């Protein structure tokens, strides 16, 4: 064992098994709710302008990066690890201060685009954001892998102590799902984040760029203790991919997904929808468990997926009480608001609001307090902005049209925003990277849209959909062959 690996193993060994990871970022957008909300005590609106790039943090990694980085710092640990996974099927644990590699795990080779029926990522490896189980101290991920039998999605469990593959893993998902009677082949892609909930691991699948082959939107439920497939859910029609960056969202009681366009469906068959997943992943025909727009078939024909973003559970509160909602933003430029306890079936939404004249494809972030709920997202154009922007929605507790646009602010790029506060409510700031635009970091007052930080450092190697993470002392942004850090 190397000195670095010994240090990490020793650091983790002193943490009791029942402890939690106080400062860690364990999953996409920092919770199963996928809200992108972070508490950073020192990051006020007044000192946001003092954020600067930490040039001493200079890691070297190998591969293109589409997944969000994670942060592992269990209670009592002196130093945390930035976890990064690449399309080259490389996984790195980096020292949070210096960027030095503490451990690296090189998995079986990823798949060249030439060996896939369609797609736009070359090579295709780890695309969806992994997830951490803080009790078992394990990192789970899906890796598209070149094998002697062709491309295979392999789900791995890696020890956070040294990156080693846990005994009994990986799971060949094609063998596991087809062995239970499902459909699964090399036209399946895995862009969405994994989710860990109630000691079960969930992995969701869609298609790839080009929508080739016979894929079905699929959710797999895996039992980590036995490294085996418990159950799966699939769209009844071909297509209906689950490809939003956040994948599955959970509110502590139920799980929610959005699906994309299906092919050849004369009757609604699970596409263009918000779906509530039931225990055991059984299909439900109850209207309270699904929603799709009345024009779902038109959306199918124009590839205007409702499933461009994940379904976000919201708790809208004021002095009169609380209501439970779900919001999803589509490639048709609409925001759809539904009742979480009764999704409403076909055309059963509370409100549809046109919020963008272009497709919405990047994950939103939520600023939720006792006095109101706001949802920030990246838009190509819309609202009072004539060009690319960040838009903020207000979502009221009641009324015939509870959603309204609060503000929009000019912004160039395809990054997914997050929101920081100093205590869960105060000093709310929307942060976003201009991926494939100006490639700079930006900050906006979440209440007004006023710019509070406009970065001068231009990053390279950022891909659309990329989101940043916030820790108590730094931001981290993953890019091709490196990770950027910003200090407060």
């Amino acid at each position: 064992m190397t000195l670095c690996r010994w240090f990490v193993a020793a650091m983790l060994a002193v943490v009791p098994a029942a402890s939690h990871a106080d400062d860690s970022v364990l999953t996409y957008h920092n919770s199963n709710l996928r809200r992108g909300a972070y508490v950073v005590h020192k990051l006020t609106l007044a000192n946001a302008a003092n954020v600067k790039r930490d040039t001493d943090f200079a890691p070297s990694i190998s591969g293109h990066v589409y997944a969000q980085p994670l942060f592992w710092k269990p209670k009592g640990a002196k130093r945390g690890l930035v976890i990064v996974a690449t399309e080259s099927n490389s996984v790195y644990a980096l020292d949070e201060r210096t960027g030095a590699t503490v451990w690296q795990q090189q998995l079986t080779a990823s798949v060249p685009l030439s060996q896939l029926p369609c797609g736009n990522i070359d090579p295709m490896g780890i695309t969806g954001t992994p997830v951490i189980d803080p009790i078992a101290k394990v990192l789970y991920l899906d890796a598209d892998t070149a094998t002697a039998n062709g491309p295979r999605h392999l789900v791995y469990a890696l020890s956070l102590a040294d990156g080693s593959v846990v005994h009994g893993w990986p799971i060949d998902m094609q063998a596991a799902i087809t062995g239970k009677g499902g459909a699964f082949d090399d036209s399946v892609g895995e862009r969405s984040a994994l989710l860990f909930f109630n000691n079960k691991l969930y992995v969701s699948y869609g298609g790839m760029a080009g929508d080739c082959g016979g894929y079905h939107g699929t959710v797999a439920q895996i039992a980590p203790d036995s490294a085996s497939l418990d159950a799966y859910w699939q769209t009844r029609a071909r297509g209906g991919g689950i490809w939003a960056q956040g994948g599955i969202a959970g509110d502590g009681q139920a799980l929610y997904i959005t699906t994309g366009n299906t092919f050849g469906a004369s009757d609604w068959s699970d596409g263009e929808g918000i779906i509530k997943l039931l225990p055991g992943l059984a299909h439900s025909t109850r209207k309270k468990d699904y929603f799709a727009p009345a024009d779902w078939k038109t959306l199918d024909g124009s590839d205007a997926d409702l499933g461009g973003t994940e379904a976000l559970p919201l708790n809208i509160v004021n002095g009169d009480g609380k209501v439970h909602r779900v919001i999803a933003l589509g490639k048709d430029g609409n925001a759809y608001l539904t009742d979480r306890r009764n999704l409403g079936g076909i055309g059963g939404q509370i409100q549809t609001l046109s919020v963008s004249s272009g497709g919405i494809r990047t994950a939103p972030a939520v600023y939720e307090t006792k006095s109101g709920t706001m949802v920030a997202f990246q838009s190509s154009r819309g609202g009072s902005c004539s060009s690319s922007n960040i838009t903020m929605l207000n979502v009221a507790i009641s009324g015939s049209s509870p959603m309204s646009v609060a503000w929009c602010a000019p912004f160039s790029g395809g990054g997914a925003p997050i929101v920081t506060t100093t205590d869960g409510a105060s000093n709310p700031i929307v942060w976003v990277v201009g991926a494939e635009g100006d490639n700079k970091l930006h900050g906006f007052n979440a209440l007004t849209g006023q710019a509070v930080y406009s970065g001068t450092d231009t990053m390279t190697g950022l891909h659309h959909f990329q989101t940043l993470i916030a820790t108590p002392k730094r931001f981290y942004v993953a890019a091709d062959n490196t990770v950027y850090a910003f200090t407060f």
Side-chain angles (χ1 to χ4, degrees), residues 11-29:
M11 178 180 70
L12 297 179
V14 301
V15 182
S19 70
H20 62 283
D22 287 346
D23 294 332
S24 297
V25 179
L26 305 175
T27 191
Y28 186 82
H29 267 190

Side-chain angles (χ1 to χ4, degrees), residues 43 47-57 96-97 431 441 453 471-476 484-488:
L43 194 51
N47 67 23
N50 296 324
V51 169
K52 62 180 181 180
R53 184 182 164 196
D54 181 1
T55 55
D56 291 332
F57 185 88
E96 68 166 315
R97 298 179 191 172
W431 297 93
L441 176 64
Y453 178 82
T471 70
K473 296 181 180 180
R474 288 176 176 83
F475 290 135
Y476 295 98
Y484 294 91
F486 294 81
T487 59
F488 311 138

Side-chain angles (χ1 to χ4, degrees), residues 274-339:
I274 300 174
I275 312 290
K276 180 179 180 179
L277 297 175
L278 303 179
L281 300 185
H283 263 91
S284 172
T285 58
R286 300 182 303 177
K287 291 183 178 179
K288 65 186 297 183
D289 295 327
Y290 68 88
F291 159 75
D295 63 346
W296 65 266
K297 196 167 185 179
T298 300
L299 298 181
D300 267 2
S302 57
D303 189 25
D305 302 12
L306 181 146
T309 68
E310 58 269 24
L312 291 177
L314 306 176
N315 298 317
I316 316 298
V317 298
N318 65 12
D320 299 325
K322 176 192 293 186
V323 295
H324 302 274
R325 302 290 187 243
V326 173
I327 192 171
L329 305 166
K331 283 169 63 179
D332 62 355
N334 286 332
Y336 295 92
L337 186 69
T338 64
D339 185 336

Side-chain angles (χ1 to χ4, degrees), residues 130-304:
V131 67
I132 290 173
D133 173 2
I135 304 302
K137 306 180 184 68
V138 168
L139 177 77
Y140 297 105
L141 60 90
D142 177 279
D144 205 358
T145 303
T147 75
N149 296 315
R152 292 289 186 272
H153 282 274
L154 303 183
V155 174
Y156 283 87
L158 304 183
S159 167
L160 284 167
D162 59 7
S164 59
V165 179
V166 176
H167 178 72
W169 298 78
I171 302 172
D172 183 327
M173 296 306 293
Q174 179 166 324
I177 291 174
T178 58
K180 287 183 177 291
F184 202 89
D185 60 29
D186 61 5
S187 66
V188 169
E190 204 287 308
R191 177 179 286 176
S192 299
L194 281 67
L195 180 139
F196 189 78
F197 174 70
N198 280 354
N199 296 315
K200 300 292 185 182
L201 176 66
Y202 294 88
V203 190
S204 50
Y205 298 91
M208 296 180 285
D211 265 345
C212 59
Y215 77 89
H216 290 248
T218 299
V219 177
Q221 176 181 299
I222 293 171
D225 290 346
S226 59
S228 61
L229 180 69
D230 269 352
Y232 69 92
W233 180 96
Q234 290 188 313
T235 55
R236 289 167 293 175
R238 183 171 68 90
I242 302 159
W243 60 275
Q245 298 104 76
I248 307 174
D251 63 2
Q253 297 182 1
L255 301 176
Y256 300 86
I257 57 171
T258 57
T259 57
N261 57 291
T262 50
F263 301 98
S266 55
D267 297 315
W268 183 76
S269 302
D270 307 316
E272 310 289 3
I274 300 174
I275 312 290
K276 180 179 180 179
L277 297 175
L278 303 179
L281 300 185
H283 263 91
S284 172
T285 58
R286 300 182 303 177
K287 291 183 178 179
K288 65 186 297 183
D289 295 327
Y290 68 88
F291 159 75
D295 63 346
W296 65 266
K297 196 167 185 179
T298 300
L299 298 181
D300 267 2
S302 57
D303 189 25

Side-chain angles (χ1 to χ4, degrees), residues 58-128:
S60 178
I61 63 176
S62 177
H64 300 161
V65 180
Y66 286 77
Q68 175 202 282
L70 300 174
F71 184 66
W72 172 239
K73 190 175 185 179
K75 188 176 181 179
K78 294 182 178 180
R79 190 170 297 190
L81 300 175
V82 180
I83 309 296
V84 186
T86 81
E87 296 290 349
S88 297
N89 283 348
S90 295
V91 184
Y92 295 83
L94 308 173
D95 183 290
E96 68 166 315
R97 298 179 191 172
T98 67
T101 299
V102 176
W103 57 255
Q104 177 194 359
Q105 177 60 259
Q106 179 60 58
L107 304 174
T108 304
S110 50
V111 185
L113 184 57
S114 60
Q115 295 181 16
L116 293 169
C118 62
N120 59 0
I121 298 175
D122 190 13
M124 182 80 77
I126 304 167
T127 307

Side-chain angles (χ1 to χ4, degrees), residues 430-449:
V430 175
W431 297 93
V432 63
V433 293
E436 298 185 358
D438 67 13
N439 293 305
K440 297 177 181 179
L441 176 64
H442 297 267
F444 304 91
N445 184 321
L447 299 177
T448 67

